[in-house]
């Protein structure tokens, strides 16, 4: 544990007016590309869709957004030289279970703010005081206000897990549950490996571990039709959508340089995946996830110039790809929505799976798309551990 400073500092979001003015000027002076002959989602974000969101971004009242965000308690602390930001929401119920929730790319801590009242005040949402959580929602290093990225910080999945275990110590939570999706679905199980005596349970939405392709399917024994469909969708992803992974994992500095200089490029880069990974895919991302989230999330990436560091942490830094992680022994639950691609037999190679829930609706962004379902599954899992 880093002992140079363990100070938890209150934090207020306050973007300088000069940065707001600069964003608006750049948006007004957008130099739009000519549409391709096939101006469809197959080649990126259609021109008309992007134009509509650029106009909406210009109309976004950022100061009102700040007021809403600052209604939550934000903190920062320095761990191993890295600034870590988090929302810290204590439940009024003293016996509440501490819970750390981690996001992924192209999201941010914003994904989970809509869960706070459901988790901290369950009696208002069909639960009881016994279901309450004290909630910690960090920004992963390299994302949003957990920037800049320290050259000395270990931002591998294991290194991030160690940071978050340290964060929970500083916030006074010795024993806690961990939840995550996307990158968070890698960090949450890793928390169970670095601190198995402290993590009471791990809950993820989405795949646990590496994607399973058809080449690996025969090694997993008999699979259901649902699992075969998931593997077919992984094959299609590897064929049709893998380009962004190749770029972010090998040239994150190029991504950072381009997207730090053009807000429209930043918006288009993440909108492409918000669109592809929300459900149903034919619906507009802003209709599924909320226009406020789409634009506020893009604003966070823009104001913190974090496209490159987020790409580096998410895709470029060493992860030990292909290596089988040890099983922590911590009870683990997985929620698989319609868009998700988890295969239980593969997940069980690295995790002690005690609960697996398949659902026929919802996309990659469970907290935004199916918040009640996510919270209910998490509540039931944690209740089973008591």
């Amino acid at each position: 544990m880093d002992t140079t400073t363990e100070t938890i500092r209150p934090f207020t979001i306050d973007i300088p007016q000069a940065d707001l003015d600069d964003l608006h000027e750049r948006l007004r002076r957008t130099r739009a590309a000519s549409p391709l002959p096939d101006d469809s989602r197959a080649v990126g974000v259609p021109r008309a869709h992007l134009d509509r969101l650029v106009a909406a971004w210009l109309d976004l009242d950022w100061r009102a957004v700040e007021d809403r965000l600052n209604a939550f308690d934000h903190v920062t602390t320095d761990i191993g030289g890295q600034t870590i930001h988090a929302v810290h929401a204590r439940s009024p119920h003293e016996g509440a279970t501490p819970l750390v929730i981690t996001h992924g790319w192209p999201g941010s801590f914003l994904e989970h703010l809509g869960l706070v009242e459901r988790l901290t005040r369950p009696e208002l949402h069909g639960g009881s005081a016994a279901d309450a959580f004290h909630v910690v929602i960090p920004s992963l290093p390299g994302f949003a206000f957990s920037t800049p990225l320290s050259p000395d910080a270990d931002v591998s999945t294991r290194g991030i897990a160690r940071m978050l275990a340290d964060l929970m110590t500083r916030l006074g939570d010795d024993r806690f549950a961990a939840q995550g999706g996307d990158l968070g679905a890698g960090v949450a199980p890793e928390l169970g490996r670095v601190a198995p005596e402290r993590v009471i349970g791990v809950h993820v939405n989405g795949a646990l571990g590496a994607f399973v392709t058809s080449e690996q399917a025969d090694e997993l024994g008999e699979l259901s039709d649902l699992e075969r469909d998931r593997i077919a969708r992984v094959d299609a992803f590897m064929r049709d959508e893998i380009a962004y992974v190749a770029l972010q994992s090998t040239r994150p500095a190029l991504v950072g340089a381009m997207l730090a200089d053009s807000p429209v490029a930043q918006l288009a880069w993440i909108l492409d995946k918000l669109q592809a990974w929300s459900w149903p895919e034919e619906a507009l991302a802003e209709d599924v996830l909320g226009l406020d989230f789409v634009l506020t999330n893009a604003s966070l990436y823009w104001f913190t110039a974090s496209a490159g560091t987020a790409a580096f942490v998410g895709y470029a830094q060493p992860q030990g790809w292909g290596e089988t992680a040890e099983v922590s022994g911590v009870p683990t639950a997985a929620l698989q929505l319609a868009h998700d691609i988890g295969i239980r037999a593969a997940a069980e190679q690295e995790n002690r799976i005690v609960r697996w829930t398949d659902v026929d609706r919802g996309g990659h962004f469970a907290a935004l798309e199916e918040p009640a379902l996510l919270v209910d599954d998490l509540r039931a899992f944690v209740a089973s551990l008591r």
Side-chain angles (χ1 to χ4, degrees):
M1 185 175 69
D2 172 43
T3 56
T4 56
T5 175
E6 297 187 3
T7 302
I8 295 288
R9 302 178 297 271
F11 176 78
T12 300
I13 301 171
D14 185 14
I15 300 301
Q17 185 60 44
D19 290 355
L20 285 174
D21 293 342
D22 176 68
L23 169 61
H24 292 157
E25 180 182 358
R26 289 171 185 261
L27 291 174
R28 283 191 293 266
R29 297 178 58 225
T30 295
R31 182 172 178 253
S34 300
L36 297 180
D38 176 20
D39 187 23
S40 72
R41 294 175 186 172
V43 295
V45 180
R47 169 74 180 273
H49 189 190
L50 189 58
D51 286 349
R52 287 196 305 273
L53 289 191
V54 169
W57 202 358
L58 268 167
D59 289 337
L60 180 69
D61 184 346
W62 177 258
R63 294 307 182 200
V65 170
E66 281 188 340
D67 288 344
R68 292 198 302 271
L69 296 182
N70 285 328
F72 296 91
D73 290 330
H74 298 253
V75 298
T76 59
T77 191
D78 298 321
I79 302 176
Q82 177 63 47
T83 297
I84 296 294
H85 157 265
V87 169
H88 188 207
R90 301 292 292 182
S91 171
H93 303 293
E94 288 303 317
T97 301
L99 171 69
V100 58
I101 308 178
T102 44
H103 64 83
W105 183 90
S108 64
F109 75 93
L110 296 174
E111 291 179 58
H112 298 111
L113 295 184
L115 302 181
V116 167
E117 186 180 84
R118 293 177 185 269
L119 293 168
T120 59
R121 299 288 304 277
E123 72 279 7
L124 302 180
H125 298 274
S128 67
D131 298 316
F133 293 92
H134 298 307
V135 178
V136 179
I137 307 173
S139 294
L140 291 174
F143 288 74
F145 303 113
S146 291
T147 50
L149 197 59
S150 168
D152 300 321
D154 177 3
V155 292
S156 64
T157 303
R158 175 150 293 197
I160 293 171
R162 290 194 180 105
M163 289 184 200
L164 298 189
D166 199 348
L167 173 66
M168 297 302 282
T169 298
R170 296 180 186 195
L171 292 173
D173 296 319
D174 182 55
R175 298 265 292 163
F176 55 91
Q179 202 284 330
D182 194 82
L183 299 178
V187 173
E190 203 63 29
L191 266 164
R193 297 186 182 101
V194 303
E197 73 288 350
R198 297 181 61 194
V199 178
I200 64 172
V202 169
H203 183 283
V204 306
N205 56 280
L208 276 155
F211 293 173
V212 178
T213 66
S214 56
E215 293 180 359
Q216 302 158 315
D218 291 341
E219 304 170 8
L220 299 174
E222 186 175 351
L223 298 173
S224 67
D225 290 343
L226 175 62
E227 290 172 321
R228 292 286 180 187
D229 175 70
R230 288 175 179 169
I231 290 171
R233 287 190 285 115
V234 170
D235 288 344
F237 172 86
M238 300 297 285
R239 181 183 64 247
D240 301 330
E241 288 191 61
I242 200 68
Y244 83 97
V245 174
L247 186 57
Q248 296 205 132
S249 61
T250 61
R251 293 296 185 270
L254 292 183
V255 173
M258 291 184 289
L259 304 192
D261 195 53
S262 169
V264 176
Q266 174 65 87
L267 175 62
W269 185 251
I270 60 177
L271 177 62
D272 179 57
K273 293 300 173 248
L274 296 178
Q275 182 67 62
W277 298 346
S278 51
W279 187 90
E281 187 177 347
E282 60 270 18
L284 295 177
E286 61 269 28
D287 292 340
V288 177
L289 306 176
L291 180 62
D292 182 76
F293 168 78
V294 171
L295 298 179
T296 303
N297 190 58
S299 298
L300 282 184
Y301 277 88
W302 173 256
F303 289 135
T304 59
S306 55
T309 54
F312 177 79
V313 170
Y315 296 94
Q317 44 85 24
Q319 296 275 9
W321 297 116
E323 299 176 7
T324 300
E326 72 273 18
V327 178
S328 68
V330 173
T332 301
L335 173 64
Q336 303 295 316
L337 276 65
H339 180 274
D340 292 326
I341 52 172
I343 305 296
R344 181 165 184 165
E348 286 178 333
Q349 296 177 359
E350 299 183 341
N351 304 276
R352 180 187 163 204
I353 305 295
V354 300
R355 179 183 176 90
W356 188 276
T357 308
D358 294 313
V359 181
D360 63 359
R361 65 184 190 275
H364 186 69
F365 308 96
L368 293 168
E369 299 183 56
E370 296 290 343
L373 193 156
L374 175 60
V375 169
D376 286 349
D377 198 72
L378 177 60
R379 282 181 190 167
F381 168 57
V382 173
S384 74
L385 304 176
R386 296 191 185 108

